[in-house]
Amino acid sequence: MDPVIQTVDLHKNFGRVKALDGLDLEVTAGQVHGFLGPNGAGKSTTLRILLGLARASSGAARVLGLHPWTDAVELHRRVASVPGDVSIWPNLSGGEAIDFLSRLRDGGADRAGYRRNKERLCQLFDFDPTKKGRAYSKGNRQKVALIAALVADCEVYLLDEPTSGLDPLMEAVFTREIRRLVSEKGATVLLSSHILSEVEQLADSVSIIRAGRIVDGGTLDSLRHLTRTGISFAQDQVDVQALQGLSQVHDLTVAAGRIKFNADSDRVHEVLPILGRLGVQGLLVAPPSLEELFLRHYGDALPPQSEEAKPDGGTHHGRSRPPAGTGA
Amino acid sequence: MGGAARPRGRALEMSRFFDLYWQRLRRDRWQLLSWVASIGALAFFATTAVASAYGDDASRTEILHVATATPAILILRGLVRGPALDAFTFFQIFAFLGVLAGLMNTFLAVRHTRAEEEAGRAELVASTAAGRWMPLAATVTHGLVGNVLVAAAVTFGFIAGGLDAAGSLVAGLAVGATGLAFLTVGLLASEFMSTSRGANGAAAGVVVAAYLLRGFGDATGEVSQDGLTVTAAWPSWVSPIGWGQQTFAYTGNRLWPLLLPLGLGIICVSLTAVIMSKRDVGASVLAGRRGRTDARPSLRGPFALALRLQQGAIVSWCIGGFIAGLLTGALGAAIQQVSIANSSVTAILRAMIEAQGTSMTQLVIAVLFEIGGILAAACGLQAVLRLRQEEVAGTAELVLSQPLGRIRWFGSFLGLGAVSVVLVMVFAAFGAWYSLLVSGESAVEVSNLWETAGAQIPAALLYLAAPAAVFVTVPRATVPIGWALLALGVVLGIYGGMLGFDKSLRDLSPFTHTPVVTNTGTDWSGGFWMLGIGAALVTFAFLAVRRREVGTV
């Protein structure tokens, strides 16, 4: 079976900067595919190329067998998307924006069904569609794009950090809706994120992108051995000798009254009985983070922090320049 | 301890203030520099152009006689104060310098107040120790410094052109004071409107209104016996640009009329402060209303979206066109009544002009429709600017991720732009038609009316086509090049003639080629040429937009 999304040796240059540097990505039909990478790794650029909004400098990209750049309109009939940075029209209400985007898609066919679905999603996401665009918070703007994408009946969903700005409750709603799309309609979902735990909940397989190329990938289980889970508990009168010798325990430290160590994520269950026997108090188990994965496996070649990423003094915030060409 | 801490606290406050001020200056440095340099350069070139075109008192006296005899000419120029070279230059260029200073200041004020609040950056600053008032103080200071620079640029521009130094200083101060008044108008507009577009539109509307009011006042003023000086009528006295003219730079050098713009500035800033002290950050006096749960059935497709986004702007431009039209009849009637009895020279000249088959009313129509044509061009330009704004905001990406061809999206916005250009002229013609009918004009002139309005359309459409071509090739430059093209077209095409610019230079402006409608027949070739060039540019834009990425900077 042909993959639904396939890129071969995809390159994208912005001047001298290589945003994509030979990206090979494959997404199988009916799967949720996690697209993991730190900020600036090229996730959004890839998705924009897959949508035909940007053009690859070289290499090939196919979505549903179509060429995104030349067959964009045909492709968009079958693909729904959520952009990485959602902005909506300041003088249109959220409900109007959702309706407008949906009408571009299907011209308003199946009105009753659409309306029902839209109301259901607005309710699920606890979204007030009557506010004007400028009055929405970041999370609510995100909901506009999410509802507009989820309400569409599509084969493929390209979602660029779809849960950014959502609270945990809404993240859970989102997760449920994506599962429903996949199980009921057999849709294919490509979901980009920089948070490993978020992808873990949904994805069947993942690709990890760094500096414009895929550095690792496969099923989530196959990646599990790469990560470590952080475990900590209160220090009082616990004898840590029992832990020190174990092969699945790493970096054991004692600091600020707490004992901390990392355990191989696929072997956490072997450590837990020991902790039980020790009778530890205030146990905290932190899921493995992408940052940790990156530091561990690719840390040697991490690019230096860019100028913008550096923390800035509070009084200097006002100095940020707006993008050129926004004045009217 | 408290005594020692206080001065240090004040020093800290000062350094915060300078941080804010420096940030504004840094952000605006190129923009401010180009405004100041253009205004100063215009003052200089106007002087040299006038000196070369109308070199001696005799030729200037002749022109002034024609001007006072046909007050329509005065609408676009100014207050006649004698034939001396410096007074004549001031008469020719001051009102336009006032408009430029006004626009520079209203845009500056809105950029650092309402636009910042709308983007959420104001909140970022207001939540620091800078608080609520310091950003306003920094913006006012920034504007003050900008206007001092403008005053200096105008003064040196005139002096470099060879005009009297004391008078040049008065003229410079007049332009600076006018700008200052409009700075505070922009601040006040930012308090009332909830969007920067709205605030910019309202404040720029005040600038244009001030220009027209002083035009009205100058055209209906009292002409002296020799036909070489005019005493402005009352409408000039309710316009900041009119106040600047009242300094009588070079002939009277009075500074007291500049107390009026300063007073207006103090009133506007006080009102701004009162409103700010009562409202939340991000709120406005005229707040936005709640929206609809579902879109109206008519909100379907890219044209409907363009209309929805642009309707406010289009309505404002149409109202502007309508007002320009209404002025025609009112002004025509006023001119007929006022000044004939006062000046024998003027009366004779006027009779001569009318004997050639051109009536006073026709001249008024021609002049005011030129203004209508500029409004229509600006309206067309805005359609393209809106496309660019959609792209910068990211909503273009949202729309183009749906099954919608780029050509249809692009074409819808351009199509609406073309429709709105025509609409503005229709409203201008309708306003003129109505007011002429009311004032009892004969039908001969009225029939030419619609033709004159139609003649403005090709040039205005070019301001849709050329920015569209820029938008697809150098998206980042759409906004600055768009406005620069319009400003250049107005300076060269509408003011170029009286400034004595060379014909080859004036020919660069579309407005130069607008067909002139006369009783004896109209040469439409210029209009057809412009339509052809426009069509070529739009074709190119359509071909290029398919090859262009979306949402790139």
Side-chain angles (χ1 to χ4, degrees):
Chain A
M1 189 176 159
D2 281 342
V4 166
I5 299 169
Q6 187 173 34
T7 74
V8 180
D9 197 28
L10 207 57
H11 283 81
K12 176 69 185 176
N13 306 325
F14 295 110
R16 232 175 281 161
V17 181
K18 289 183 175 178
L20 297 183
D21 189 15
L23 183 103
D24 299 301
L25 178 70
E26 258 186 37
V27 179
T28 320
Q31 278 207 335
V32 178
H33 192 98
F35 191 32
L36 272 171
N39 295 328
K43 299 189 297 290
S44 296
T45 305
T46 309
L47 289 179
R48 285 168 50 77
I49 290 176
L50 292 177
L51 274 170
L53 294 172
R55 190 160 40 165
S57 303
S58 70
R62 287 278 181 281
V63 179
L64 292 164
L66 296 167
H67 192 293
W69 181 260
T70 51
D71 311 324
V73 175
E74 172 58 22
L75 185 68
H76 294 166
R77 274 188 242 285
R78 301 163 66 186
V79 176
S81 64
V82 170
D85 194 3
V86 178
S87 55
I88 55 175
W89 298 277
N91 54 344
L92 260 66
S93 76
E96 281 180 304
I98 294 169
D99 282 352
F100 172 73
L101 291 171
S102 304
R103 284 171 190 171
L104 283 178
R105 179 166 294 286
D106 56 12
D110 184 24
R111 302 204 105 192
Y114 162 76
R115 195 169 280 251
R116 236 187 353 265
N117 209 1
K118 175 189 158 199
E119 258 165 45
R120 184 184 69 85
L121 286 166
C122 284
Q123 235 157 37
L124 274 178
F125 280 105
D126 192 22
F127 175 70
D128 174 6
T130 62
K131 277 205 224 168
K132 290 287 179 75
R134 69 174 71 88
Y136 285 121
S137 64
K138 174 166 168 46
N140 277 315
R141 286 202 305 271
Q142 193 72 26
K143 287 178 191 175
V144 172
L146 267 179
I147 294 173
L150 292 175
V151 82
D153 194 9
C154 285
E155 296 163 58
V156 176
Y157 293 80
L158 299 178
L159 312 175
D160 195 356
E161 308 205 351
T163 58
S164 65
L166 295 191
D167 60 47
L169 214 61
M170 292 304 131
E171 271 187 58
V173 172
F174 167 77
T175 305
R176 219 165 51 229
E177 283 302 305
I178 293 294
R179 287 214 178 100
R180 208 176 58 81
L181 280 178
V182 175
S183 64
E184 286 179 14
K185 297 178 183 166
T188 309
V189 179
L190 179 61
L191 178 105
S192 91
S193 175
H194 62 271
I195 304 161
L196 188 57
S197 59
E198 174 183 288
V199 170
E200 241 179 336
Q201 290 187 25
L202 271 169
D204 305 296
S205 55
V206 297
S207 294
I208 296 176
I209 178 176
R210 192 177 70 86
R213 41 165 85 234
I214 302 292
V215 290
D216 214 331
T219 62
L220 263 185
D221 287 334
S222 71
L223 283 178
R224 199 88 64 186
H225 72 279
L226 291 173
T227 66
R228 287 177 186 167
T229 304
I231 294 174
S232 69
F233 50 85
Q235 189 189 359
D236 42 74
Q237 289 137 34
V238 174
D239 179 19
V240 294
Q241 291 296 335
L243 290 168
Q244 246 152 7
L246 297 174
S247 64
Q248 55 278 67
V249 172
H250 309 273
D251 319 321
L252 189 96
T253 57
V254 181
R258 289 186 70 81
I259 295 168
K260 293 180 184 169
F261 66 87
N262 295 318
D264 293 328
S265 290
D266 51 346
R267 297 175 72 186
V268 171
H269 62 280
E270 297 167 20
V271 183
L272 289 177
I274 304 168
L275 295 180
R277 250 176 281 135
L278 288 171
V280 299
Q281 299 286 314
L283 178 68
L284 283 177
V285 180
S289 69
L290 185 66
E291 289 71 23
E292 188 243 9
L293 178 83
F294 267 82
L295 283 175
R296 187 172 307 282
H297 294 279
Y298 319 107
D300 55 321
L302 271 184
Q305 266 203 333
S306 66
E307 203 59 35
E308 292 97 311
K310 278 182 186 162
D312 204 349
T315 52
H316 298 275
H317 279 303
R319 283 186 183 168
S320 59
R321 279 165 57 96
T326 50
Chain B
M1 191 190 130
R6 271 193 94 82
R8 205 183 301 152
R10 198 165 297 150
L12 195 64
E13 293 263 292
M14 281 315 280
S15 95
R16 263 190 218 120
F17 172 79
F18 280 116
D19 270 347
L20 284 172
Y21 170 65
W22 187 247
Q23 177 247 334
R24 281 159 175 71
L25 196 62
R26 203 185 134 69
R27 188 179 151 191
D28 282 355
R29 59 194 191 281
W30 297 119
Q31 202 170 359
L32 192 65
L33 199 66
S34 46
W35 273 108
V36 170
S38 330
I39 293 175
L42 192 62
F44 172 72
F45 286 121
T47 315
T48 55
V50 164
S52 72
Y54 315 106
D56 51 64
D57 264 14
S59 65
R60 289 192 293 267
T61 304
E62 195 181 326
I63 288 288
L64 286 185
H65 276 145
V66 174
T68 50
T70 52
I73 295 175
L74 300 181
I75 303 170
L76 283 183
R77 295 166 200 208
L79 203 54
V80 180
R81 300 301 300 175
L85 174 68
D86 33 25
F88 187 82
T89 309
F90 186 72
F91 150 72
Q92 290 278 39
I93 199 65
F94 175 79
F96 192 61
L97 292 176
V99 169
L100 286 181
L103 291 177
M104 169 188 129
N105 275 281
T106 54
F107 290 152
L108 181 146
V110 173
R111 184 163 59 244
H112 293 291
T113 52
R114 178 51 64 185
E116 287 291 287
E117 281 195 55
E118 201 183 9
R121 288 188 290 264
E123 195 157 329
L124 217 56
V125 174
S127 49
T128 67
R132 195 193 304 229
W133 300 111
M134 216 179 266
L136 178 68
T139 304
V140 171
T141 310
H142 180 42
L144 270 173
V145 172
N147 283 310
V148 169
L149 292 177
V150 165
V154 170
T155 305
F156 287 120
F158 280 145
I159 292 178
L163 303 191
D164 170 57
S168 298
L169 181 62
V170 173
L173 287 174
V175 177
T178 308
L180 192 64
F182 286 120
L183 173 82
T184 63
V185 168
L187 292 176
L188 195 58
S190 289
E191 294 303 307
F192 277 92
M193 311 307 270
S194 62
T195 64
S196 58
R197 277 180 82 84
N200 271 327
V206 174
V207 175
V208 173
Y211 180 76
L212 286 178
L213 275 170
R214 74 113 283 289
F216 204 112
D218 293 347
T220 56
E222 200 174 316
V223 182
S224 67
Q225 202 66 61
D226 60 1
L228 290 176
T229 48
V230 172
T231 310
W234 66 267
S236 286
W237 284 96
V238 291
S239 157
I241 301 177
W243 297 335
Q245 288 186 332
Q246 292 302 326
T247 54
F248 298 162
Y250 303 107
T251 50
N253 283 350
R254 324 190 273 186
L255 283 176
W256 65 261
L258 298 185
L259 290 175
L260 290 166
L262 291 183
L264 178 70
I266 290 170
I267 291 171
C268 287
V269 168
S270 310
L271 277 174
T272 303
V274 168
I275 297 172
M276 267 180 81
S277 68
K278 291 180 193 301
R279 73 181 177 93
D280 301 343
V281 172
S284 59
V285 174
L286 305 175
R289 287 159 305 185
R290 273 192 103 64
R292 303 168 54 87
T293 313
D294 307 299
R296 284 202 179 84
S298 57
L299 185 61
R300 175 186 303 276
F303 191 84
L305 176 71
L307 183 60
R308 175 68 190 269
L309 297 175
Q310 291 283 81
Q311 60 192 12
I314 294 175
V315 167
S316 324
W317 289 116
C318 285
I319 291 176
F322 186 68
I323 291 174
L326 277 183
L327 283 178
T328 317
L331 204 54
I335 287 168
Q336 301 286 14
Q337 288 162 11
V338 175
S339 40
I340 281 192
N342 292 335
S343 158
S344 52
V345 189
T346 312
I348 295 166
L349 254 170
R350 179 174 296 185
M352 280 167 59
I353 292 167
E354 281 178 340
Q356 287 172 353
T358 316
S359 74
M360 288 300 116
T361 313
Q362 264 177 328
L363 280 173
V364 173
I365 291 174
V367 167
L368 280 170
F369 276 25
E370 263 184 353
I371 295 180
I374 299 173
L375 292 179
C379 188
L381 171 63
Q382 272 212 324
V384 181
L385 299 186
R386 174 59 85 169
L387 270 171
R388 176 61 188 158
Q389 282 165 357
E390 283 281 287
E391 188 172 37
V392 171
T395 36
E397 182 170 338
L398 211 55
V399 167
L400 289 169
S401 302
Q402 313 298 327
L404 168 69
R406 217 164 281 180
I407 300 268
R408 252 191 81 201
W409 172 72
F410 188 57
S412 296
F413 278 79
L414 292 191
L416 180 70
V419 170
S420 55
V421 162
V422 175
L423 267 181
V424 171
M425 286 323 298
V426 166
F427 271 90
F430 182 72
W433 172 78
Y434 175 78
S435 65
L436 287 177
L437 217 63
V438 168
S439 65
E441 277 289 332
S442 65
V444 185
E445 284 116 16
V446 176
S447 68
N448 276 348
L449 200 70
W450 299 94
E451 230 180 313
T452 311
Q456 314 295 326
I457 290 176
L461 284 180
L462 216 45
Y463 279 100
L464 185 66
V470 176
F471 172 71
V472 294
T473 44
V474 207
R476 192 195 291 264
T478 310
V479 176
I481 290 192
W483 286 117
L485 282 177
L486 184 60
L488 218 61
V490 171
V491 170
L492 292 179
I494 293 182
Y495 292 84
M498 67 197 202
L499 290 176
F501 282 132
D502 196 58
K503 186 173 178 322
S504 59
L505 209 57
R506 279 185 285 144
D507 278 347
L508 291 175
S509 166
F511 297 113
T512 307
H513 306 286
T514 292
V516 180
V517 177
T518 61
N519 286 340
T520 49
T522 309
D523 177 13
W524 286 93
S525 60
F528 287 125
W529 266 107
M530 284 194 283
L531 285 179
I533 294 169
L537 284 170
V538 168
T539 311
F540 162 75
F542 271 114
L543 290 175
V545 78
R546 298 171 61 174
R547 300 192 46 78
R548 180 179 175 287
E549 297 187 338
V550 181
T552 44
V553 280

